[in-house]
Amino acid sequence: MSRRLRQFLSPLIDENPITLQILGICSALAVTTSMTTALTMSAALTAVLMASSGIISALRRHMPKQIRLILQITIIASLVIVTDLILQAYAFEISKRLSIFVSLVVTNCLVLGRAEAFAMHNPPGPSILDGLGNGLGYSLILLIVGFVRELLGRGTLFGFEVLASVDTGGWFQPLGVMLLAPSAFFILGLLIWAIRAWRPAQVEENEYPLSARVEG
Amino acid sequence: MIRGLWTPDTVGWLLVAAGLPAAVALWFDQGVDGVLRLVLCLAVVAAWQILFRVNLGVAPAPASAITALAVAVVAPIEVQLWQIALAVSFGAVIGELIFGGWGRNFLSPGVVALAFLSLSMPNAAFVASGANVAWAVLPGALVMLLTGILPVSVLAAYGAALGLASMALGLEITLLAASGTLAFAAVFLVADPVAAAATPVGRWVQGALAGALTVLLMTGTSVPQAAVFAVLLAGLFAPLVDQGAIAAHLARRRARNGRA
């Protein structure tokens, strides 16, 4: 596998921003009650991440080190405002459902994290690729969590009925707990557990090992 | 205490034995449906125990049968079976097995499963069980009190808080109609030997907190749901209460004995 391809593919599972670095989970739990909002949010974040990585990487030699964070935030904030306005112009309904969370992409640790960790040290091409990879890694987790929550919480996917609910004469009783914030944490936790069982390299060292059990 | 005899398994089997009459009362109250539900819950719990034993080496515990019993007794009748299975799985895995088995969990897995069900179906009618279950819980509770498995202080504080708070709010009748649910919750959920507070003072506080919260929440929802959330909250606070009790004890000792 070429270096470029590995750079692009590793954020999908091996270095997934959400499940390995636990970044950006605030929005991951807020927008995943339905697939539509999850997909929109994923697209918005991926677009912002790619653009900001490219711009910051192109400017990396011109930024004075002392004020680089301010400049990065300014660039990211401008891009987020543009994204938010595009959503309001062409997808007003969805933009209303996402409420504040698109604007909060500014404070998403993932965007600033990639700018600091990658775009500041690499040329624009690889930086954009890195942004795309991380954006898709984020999207993958968001869509999985959104899939489980919308399917079990409402019996629908993208708003279309998949499991006929009791209210419309079917058999499916929606699980209300899936629409509450804690369920996103549980699903995310189970997902991280599953990934770490599959890829033991991601398991962290046990900081607090139990002492040997004393038998009575 | 005879240490050789009192292994966690002995305690677990005693808990299961104490739960048997409640299972019979369930059959009495709800007929074959209730028994089928209990069997389903037991099968789900057993399956997870075996899976965790084989894959992760977590020791299976007989006390896990109480998780199944709690869901079968307290859960509303109209809940679909797959949801019950899901809730029991959630309680058994997230509430107990991922911590490394019974004895390392910090909440009663039965409460976790019931809270999951209750949050899932906010509008479901949780039917409170009456005197049959209350009488069925009594003999097991007495045996466990005599053997020291049930902490007297938790039960006493829970009962007193229930009584006082319900009298203050004028809810005695609702409370009496749900005597079965409350007795079951007191013995198997509030005073859970693993999840309950462990210091003498902490036990009084935790029991009283659970009782007072139950009555307070009863004003807004059905008694079983109120009981489940009250026990959940009191259980969450139990470690903190213990910590406070230990700190207070140490402070008293220091004041008495000087800086030693």
Side-chain angles (χ1 to χ4, degrees):
Chain A
M1 221 189 309
S2 77
R3 207 167 61 90
R4 281 284 160 75
L5 195 62
R6 200 162 343 117
Q7 231 167 38
F8 170 66
L9 288 180
S10 71
L12 291 186
I13 303 278
D14 284 340
E15 277 168 42
N16 189 290
I18 297 187
T19 60
L20 182 72
Q21 303 165 27
I22 324 286
L23 291 178
I25 58 168
C26 170
S27 56
L29 73 92
V31 300
T32 48
T33 47
S34 78
M35 289 287 276
T36 320
T37 48
L39 188 65
T40 317
M41 183 70 181
S42 304
L45 186 112
T46 309
V48 170
L49 191 53
M50 281 172 71
S52 74
S53 287
I55 295 172
I56 289 168
S57 164
L59 292 174
R60 70 188 187 283
R61 293 194 204 287
H62 301 281
M63 286 189 189
K65 280 276 174 274
Q66 296 87 341
I67 56 161
R68 66 182 195 285
L69 283 177
I70 304 173
L71 291 177
Q72 288 165 5
I73 286 283
T74 314
I75 293 168
I76 296 167
S78 324
L79 291 166
V80 167
I81 292 170
V82 172
T83 314
D84 200 17
L85 289 177
I86 292 177
L87 273 181
Q88 281 181 27
Y90 295 103
F92 187 60
E93 277 303 310
I94 293 171
S95 134
K96 259 201 318 201
R97 277 168 65 194
L98 281 171
S99 67
I100 196 171
F101 290 102
V102 172
S103 355
L104 280 181
V105 168
V106 180
T107 58
N108 197 318
C109 338
L110 177 52
V111 185
L112 198 59
R114 286 334 287 173
E116 266 292 287
F118 198 93
M120 285 302 281
H121 311 289
N122 291 282
S127 294
I128 294 177
L129 209 59
D130 175 76
L132 178 65
N134 276 284
L136 290 183
Y138 175 89
S139 312
L140 181 71
I141 303 301
L142 238 64
L143 289 178
I144 293 175
V145 176
F147 176 83
V148 177
R149 289 181 76 183
E150 190 179 352
L151 187 68
L152 293 181
R154 287 207 186 89
T156 59
L157 284 177
F158 290 108
F160 294 106
E161 191 167 74
V162 176
L163 304 169
S165 77
V166 174
D167 298 333
T168 56
W171 61 273
F172 179 74
Q173 239 173 25
L175 265 179
V177 74
M178 286 294 160
L179 300 179
L180 303 174
S183 76
F185 275 124
F186 293 136
I187 297 168
L188 213 54
L190 293 173
L191 205 59
I192 291 173
W193 183 11
I195 290 175
R196 289 183 186 188
W198 175 39
R199 297 278 168 95
Q202 295 194 8
V203 177
E204 288 147 25
E205 204 175 313
N206 190 355
E207 279 179 61
Y208 306 101
L210 289 176
S211 53
R213 197 161 138 196
V214 184
E215 290 292 345
Chain B
M1 221 182 270
I2 318 162
R3 297 201 71 175
L5 182 64
W6 288 100
T7 61
D9 271 0
T10 323
V11 176
W13 284 118
L14 251 171
L15 265 172
V16 174
L20 281 179
V24 177
L26 179 74
W27 181 24
F28 220 73
D29 278 357
Q30 299 183 14
V32 184
D33 278 358
V35 177
L36 278 181
R37 222 156 43 151
L38 179 59
V39 171
L40 171 78
C41 294
L42 283 171
V44 173
V45 169
W48 283 114
Q49 297 266 330
I50 292 168
L51 208 67
F52 270 74
R53 175 73 192 87
V54 172
N55 286 332
L56 299 169
V58 173
S64 307
I66 294 299
T67 311
L69 185 66
V71 173
V73 169
V74 183
I77 296 166
E78 76 252 41
V79 178
Q80 290 174 343
L81 289 180
W82 70 272
Q83 289 193 336
I84 290 205
L86 194 65
V88 173
S89 303
F90 185 80
V93 174
I94 304 279
E96 176 185 333
L97 289 168
I98 53 169
F99 294 104
W102 188 68
R104 289 181 175 166
N105 48 322
F106 68 96
L107 281 174
S108 157
V111 172
V112 175
L114 284 168
F116 182 88
L117 263 186
S118 169
L119 279 173
S120 282
M121 327 201 55
N123 303 320
F126 274 67
V127 186
S129 358
N132 279 346
V133 174
W135 285 114
V137 167
L138 195 62
L142 282 179
V143 171
M144 290 201 293
L145 277 175
L146 289 177
T147 49
I149 295 176
L150 278 191
V152 188
S153 38
V154 173
L155 287 184
Y158 185 65
L162 275 182
L164 289 177
S166 63
M167 269 192 279
L169 295 176
L171 286 168
E172 297 98 324
I173 298 159
T174 336
L175 201 72
L176 279 180
S179 58
T181 307
L182 291 173
F184 185 88
V187 173
F188 292 106
L189 303 180
V190 184
D192 181 289
V194 176
T199 54
V201 182
R203 285 176 169 169
W204 283 100
V205 176
Q206 186 224 346
L209 189 64
L213 279 174
T214 305
V215 177
L216 196 66
L217 295 174
M218 256 160 64
T219 53
T221 178
S222 67
V223 180
Q225 273 173 305
V228 166
F229 276 110
V231 178
L232 184 74
L233 285 172
L236 281 177
F237 277 105
L240 189 66
V241 169
D242 273 346
Q243 186 89 19
I246 291 171
H249 178 73
L250 288 180
R252 259 201 320 278
R253 275 180 63 107
R254 210 174 297 124
R256 197 169 58 218
N257 302 339
R259 284 188 180 277

